[in-house]
Amino acid sequence: QVQLVESGGGVVQPGRSLRLSCAASGFNFSSYAMHWVRQAPGKGLEWVAVIASDGNYNADSVNGRFTISRDNSKNTLYLHMNSPRVEDTAVYYCARDWNSDFDYWGQGTLVTVSS
Amino acid sequence: EIVLTQSPATLSLSPGERATLSCRASQSISSYLAWYQQKPGQSPRLLIYDASNRATGIPARFSGSGSGTDFTLTISSLEPEDFAVYYCQQRSNWPPWTFGQGTKVEIK
């Protein structure tokens, strides 16, 4: 069955870096676009970034600071968070793209940006 | 950017009652709308795609309708496990993908 397992979250100081990972299994990982979606504490869902065959895209709120990448040989998706801000505090989910919707989600990893 | 507005913010109902949730788009998105359910401490689950198609394994009591700018998610008879937060999401014009702010269905 499809499984997505995020890791790498934790407490990070503003301006430092953090890399999130999402290990995929149960499907042909390289054939699918993949997304990161976040949810601030007590708030709604916010799309962050996508990596697809025709390119990568970021939300304006993270453009220039976050980079999405993948290693198909390891079936792993990444989110490189540079210069995080307090407002980036959230649970970060990886999600599989299915016809430009999100059909499978990981359990999420919490990132807290605090000095 | 397409803005999705959900109403009401909270819906207080009893098990067995019918729930009607609304999602309005700031411009036409054809039928490119999905609905997700999120329970406390869990990740979202895809319920409906393309406005009216149930995702795999979703019970028939969930149905979606609408096109253009106005969409509805209906739960015909609420089960105890249906009390959760529901989000709509558009894929008509991306990036960015956008979500509504959510509707919480709570037990009355």
Side-chain angles (χ1 to χ4, degrees):
Chain A
Q1 73 280 20
V2 173
Q3 273 202 306
L4 299 170
V5 180
E6 300 94 337
S7 61
V11 180
V12 60
Q13 292 181 329
R16 304 297 288 262
S17 295
L18 194 66
R19 187 185 76 170
L20 307 182
S21 300
C22 169
S25 60
F27 66 103
N28 187 357
F29 178 71
S30 61
S31 296
Y32 287 83
M34 296 293 297
H35 299 260
W36 287 98
V37 178
R38 69 184 180 183
Q39 187 169 36
K43 302 297 184 181
L45 301 168
E46 179 189 17
W47 173 79
V48 173
V50 64
I51 186 165
S53 57
D54 61 345
N56 303 347
Y57 302 91
N58 294 335
D60 287 346
S61 58
V62 306
N63 221 9
R65 300 186 299 118
F66 294 5
T67 302
I68 189 171
S69 66
R70 66 193 300 165
D71 185 337
N72 288 337
S73 69
K74 297 182 178 179
N75 288 347
T76 302
L77 176 73
Y78 301 102
L79 185 68
H80 306 262
M81 304 174 63
N82 294 320
S83 299
R85 303 167 180 165
V86 171
E87 56 265 34
D88 295 320
T89 294
V91 174
Y92 285 74
Y93 298 100
C94 62
R96 190 177 81 167
D97 183 285
W98 180 74
N99 202 28
S100 296
D101 290 324
F102 312 102
D103 66 341
Y104 284 94
W105 299 63
Q107 85 289 349
T109 187
L110 175 62
V111 173
T112 302
V113 185
S114 173
S115 55
Chain B
E1 173 177 324
I2 294 175
V3 176
L4 299 178
T5 303
Q6 292 186 241
S7 61
T10 304
L11 201 50
S12 298
L13 295 169
S14 301
E17 288 193 296
R18 183 184 189 91
T20 303
L21 288 67
S22 174
C23 177
R24 177 164 289 178
S26 58
Q27 64 189 74
S28 177
I29 57 171
S30 185
S31 296
Y32 299 131
L33 188 96
W35 290 94
Y36 299 83
Q37 176 194 66
Q38 187 178 33
K39 299 179 183 179
Q42 296 186 15
S43 52
R45 176 173 71 146
L46 177 65
L47 296 176
I48 301 286
Y49 65 93
D50 289 348
S52 61
N53 297 290
R54 277 189 301 277
T56 303
I58 302 304
R61 64 181 181 273
F62 291 92
S63 63
S65 64
S67 66
T69 60
D70 291 301
F71 300 86
T72 300
L73 174 69
T74 302
I75 310 171
S76 59
S77 178
L78 282 163
E79 297 288 339
E81 61 268 27
D82 299 337
F83 291 91
V85 179
Y86 294 84
Y87 295 95
C88 57
Q89 168 252 320
Q90 67 83 24
R91 66 175 183 88
S92 172
N93 187 7
W94 54 262
W97 282 258
T98 52
F99 294 87
Q101 81 279 19
T103 290
K104 181 180 181 180
V105 179
E106 65 175 22
I107 299 176
K108 186 174 181 180

